[in-house]
Amino acid sequence: MSLHRLTTVTVGVPNLDESRKFYRDFGLTEKAPGHFSTRLGGEQLVLVERPERGVLEVGIGCSDPDDLGRVAASHARARLDATVSDSDVRAREPVTGVTVRVEIAPRIESDIREAHVENSHGARPRVNERAPGILDREPTRPRKLGHVVIGTPDREATQDFFLTTLGLRLTDQRGDHMTFMRCSTDHHNIAITQAPRHFLHHTSWEVDDIDQIGHGAGDLLAVDPSRNLWGMGRHFYGSNYFWYFRDPSGHYAEYYSDMDEITEDEIWAIRTAGQRGGAKAWGPPIPKHFGAPWELDKITPGSAMVSL
């Protein structure tokens, strides 16, 4: 796959200073005001002050100029305006208006760490010592930006832009209301959901393991318990552990670990309508506003629920 990762996401927030503090507490490193880096991905989040919150731009990494040429040609065939340079191709997704920037970027080099050994039924590989997860208290630092979930009033058109024009791969499709797509080997990097209007549902950030999710959640909630949204749990689509938090602007931010990896398209079985599973395989009840952010319900009361 010539596309190989998410590079950045630019998000508008009405309360910049409060949002900056949240993402510092979340574990991202602020290299310049509003510009945040992960451990492995470099600068991956940019916050800018805007009257209304929402996603402004998503960056996708490719390998070389030939990849950019293919993306530019695809935009031309679709008769979509695009700005082309030697380093990137920029275009607006026609339905949501989100700018998507495909850029030449280095691949993420994983810092492979020794897996924690766990005792389980029938196997006791860790004896005479405590679990590392109760001793390791380094602050949680996300490894990379994993995925972005966007609401769109026309899921099929937005899906076509990402799959046909940009060249992402379809991973799973939950009925006629949610599509999971990837530009890497991760289960999904972009997911879109049918909604009354465009909005950013959440950004998602990979951490090392379930213990780092728990430690990070504890640190965030010790500062402000109202940040808690939903977790701990395990998703069905993607199989990942999750815990979601609410930032000061109302966006959601997710810690995750243990995501499905897809290296062979021919082996992966896409799940579609009628298949088992929704937003969770297990976990607490889904909060009322997880699938229906409050501002959507104000616009179309009683009909703003989106299925995630």
Side-chain angles (χ1 to χ4, degrees), residues 12-51:
V13 295
N15 45 1
L16 183 58
D17 289 342
E18 293 177 49
S19 295
R20 286 172 57 200
K21 181 183 186 315
F22 172 88
Y23 286 99
R24 289 194 299 267
D25 292 346
F26 190 77
L28 300 180
T29 301
E30 190 173 24
K31 296 293 185 73
H35 293 249
F36 294 86
S37 296
T38 58
R39 275 173 30 210
L40 304 181
E43 183 177 294
Q44 295 206 275
L45 173 66
V46 178
L47 299 180
V48 296
E49 195 151 25
R50 290 289 187 275

Side-chain angles (χ1 to χ4, degrees), residues 221-299:
L221 301 182
V223 176
D224 182 358
S226 70
R227 291 168 165 176
N228 186 57
L229 179 64
W230 185 34
M232 166 82 71
R234 191 188 266 276
H235 280 308
F236 182 82
Y237 291 102
S239 303
N240 52 290
Y241 296 113
F242 67 82
W243 200 321
Y244 290 86
F245 310 90
R246 184 185 291 104
D247 78 11
S249 70
H251 292 130
Y252 304 152
E254 176 191 18
Y255 287 140
Y256 79 89
S257 68
D258 194 21
M259 176 75 74
D260 290 337
E261 293 287 315
I262 302 165
T263 60
E264 297 290 341
D265 290 342
E266 295 78 11
I267 296 175
W268 180 258
I270 296 173
R271 287 186 178 266
T272 58
Q275 300 288 353
R276 171 185 174 273
K280 64 172 182 173
W282 57 260
I286 300 174
K288 175 183 176 182
H289 287 297
F290 183 76
W294 61 270
E295 73 273 26
L296 295 188
D297 200 49
K298 284 184 176 181
I299 295 168

Side-chain angles (χ1 to χ4, degrees), residues 163-232:
L163 294 178
T164 304
T165 306
L166 294 184
L168 275 71
R169 304 287 179 87
L170 176 66
T171 304
D172 280 319
Q173 188 165 307
R174 188 170 179 230
D176 59 358
H177 47 257
M178 192 162 191
T179 303
F180 299 87
M181 299 167 285
R182 66 189 188 278
C183 59
S184 72
T185 59
D186 292 344
H187 177 274
H188 58 283
N189 304 108
I190 298 289
I192 56 172
T193 183
Q194 186 70 34
R197 57 160 287 184
H198 158 60
F199 73 104
L200 171 62
H201 187 272
H202 72 269
T203 58
S204 187
W205 306 85
E206 184 186 55
V207 298
D208 287 340
D209 53 36
I210 191 171
D211 288 306
Q212 281 210 342
I213 294 177
H215 287 319
D219 292 341
L220 273 172
L221 301 182
V223 176
D224 182 358
S226 70
R227 291 168 165 176
N228 186 57
L229 179 64
W230 185 34
M232 166 82 71

Side-chain angles (χ1 to χ4, degrees), residues 107 111 142 145 250:
R107 291 178 179 268
D111 58 341
L145 171 64

Side-chain angles (χ1 to χ4, degrees), residues 71-198:
V71 172
S74 180
H75 280 81
R77 288 193 298 272
R79 299 183 179 181
L80 295 174
D81 292 334
T83 302
V84 182
S85 74
D86 291 339
S87 60
D88 64 27
V89 175
R90 293 175 183 260
R92 296 182 70 187
E93 194 280 309
V95 178
T96 64
V98 173
T99 297
V100 180
R101 178 189 182 200
V102 179
E103 59 182 322
I104 298 173
R107 291 178 179 268
I108 288 180
E109 298 294 332
S110 181
D111 58 341
I112 299 174
R113 298 187 172 193
E114 184 176 350
H116 288 181
V117 176
E118 295 188 357
N119 291 333
S120 61
H121 178 70
R124 297 292 186 268
R126 191 190 74 249
V127 295
N128 304 319
E129 60 180 341
R130 302 182 195 278
I134 70 166
L135 303 175
D136 180 8
R137 282 301 289 126
E138 292 183 7
T140 294
R141 296 284 183 257
R143 296 164 58 84
K144 67 178 182 181
L145 171 64
H147 58 268
V148 176
V149 178
I150 300 170
T152 172
D154 190 339
R155 184 193 55 80
E156 289 188 0
T158 300
Q159 172 180 314
D160 185 65
F161 174 81
F162 281 103
L163 294 178
T164 304
T165 306
L166 294 184
L168 275 71
R169 304 287 179 87
L170 176 66
T171 304
D172 280 319
Q173 188 165 307
R174 188 170 179 230
D176 59 358
H177 47 257
M178 192 162 191
T179 303
F180 299 87
M181 299 167 285
R182 66 189 188 278
C183 59
S184 72
T185 59
D186 292 344
H187 177 274
H188 58 283
N189 304 108
I190 298 289
I192 56 172
T193 183
Q194 186 70 34
R197 57 160 287 184
H198 158 60

